[in-house]
Amino acid sequence: MPLQMKLTAITLDCPDPLALAAFYQQITGLELHPESGTGFAGLRRADGLFIGFQRVDGYRAPSWPDPAVPQQFHLDFAVEDLDKAEAWLLQLGARKPRHQPGGNRWRVFIDPAGHPFCLDRG
């Protein structure tokens, strides 16, 4: 049997860890890690999954879909109502790029630090 690994953390580079953690905290409801600060902040889920945000000096946001600065990764979130979720995310500071390859199945957004993420009809 091959080795089994459990995903425990995902860390995103960004210019302002506390600001990006606050954005994702609003959309996920996860708790801010008590030791979060200006160099590194994190959110924790009850099952142990950790989403980290680390400060990178000279950070360059992805330029998706332009490959000049690749997206590097993206997060996907399931939602019941894409239209309601879109309106809410835009109010929180996300952007919706013109290029939307998912049709009616899913939508791409850009977080405040420039990372693409997707909403899937769930």
Side-chain angles (χ1 to χ4, degrees), residues 11-120:
T11 301
L12 289 71
D13 291 349
C14 62
D16 185 342
L18 289 171
L20 195 56
F23 172 80
Y24 280 102
Q25 183 179 30
Q26 288 181 74
I27 67 172
T28 64
L30 298 178
E31 292 295 320
L32 185 66
H33 190 279
E35 295 179 22
S36 295
T38 59
F40 188 88
L43 301 175
R44 212 177 2 194
R45 197 167 69 184
D47 68 358
L49 181 63
F50 184 87
I51 302 175
F53 309 93
Q54 66 185 6
R55 176 183 299 283
V56 172
D57 293 331
Y59 171 76
R60 289 181 58 207
S63 56
W64 184 91
D66 177 0
V69 181
Q71 71 172 334
Q72 302 147 14
F73 75 95
H74 73 270
L75 302 172
D76 286 22
F77 298 94
V79 297
E80 293 289 323
D81 185 317
L82 285 172
D83 293 329
K84 282 184 181 177
E86 176 178 324
W88 182 56
L89 289 168
L90 295 174
Q91 287 179 344
L92 293 175
R95 292 180 291 117
K96 183 180 177 188
R98 255 188 226 137
H99 181 63
Q100 292 292 320
N104 292 328
R105 295 184 335 255
W106 46 275
R107 297 180 190 166
V108 179
F109 295 89
I110 307 297
D111 74 20
H115 305 105
F117 67 96
C118 296
L119 292 185
D120 304 325

